[in-house]
Amino acid sequence: MSGCAHDEAARADAAAAEMGRLAAGVNLPDWPAYCREHMPAVVPKVGEKARHSQSRWEVVREQHNRRLDWCAGHYDGIAAEYARPRPPPD
C-alpha cells in the first residue's frame, strides 16, 4: 500500500512542477535601444533643391526600414527560442 501512495505523490509532484513551469511564463530580454529610435526628420536646407531633400529622405527611410527588419528578426529569433508547446485545452 505504501508503494502505491508513493507513486501517487510522485505523480502529483510532477504535475505540480509542470503546472508551475507553464505558469511561470517567459522573461524576454530588454528591447534594444536601437529598435526604439524614431525615424529622423529630413528638413530641407535653405537653397536645397527638392530632389536633394527627397534623396536624403529616401536614404533615411531605407536605413529606418533596415533597422525595423533587424529588430523584427531579432524579436522573432527570441520568440522562437522561447517557444514551447502549449498544453491541450481541457
Side-chain angles (χ1 to χ4, degrees), residues 25-81:
V26 174
N27 291 324
L28 294 175
D30 291 339
W31 192 248
Y34 177 71
C35 297
R36 296 184 183 276
E37 295 174 7
H38 291 197
M39 184 173 142
V42 176
V43 179
K45 297 177 182 174
V46 175
E48 180 180 43
K49 295 186 178 190
R51 68 176 177 261
H52 294 150
S53 292
Q54 179 66 26
S55 294
R56 286 191 303 118
W57 181 86
E58 289 171 1
V59 168
V60 169
R61 182 198 59 193
E62 188 60 34
Q63 290 172 344
H64 184 72
N65 287 342
R66 278 193 213 124
R67 179 174 52 221
L68 288 177
D69 292 342
W70 182 88
C71 293
H74 174 74
Y75 183 79
D76 290 346
I78 290 172
E81 181 180 334

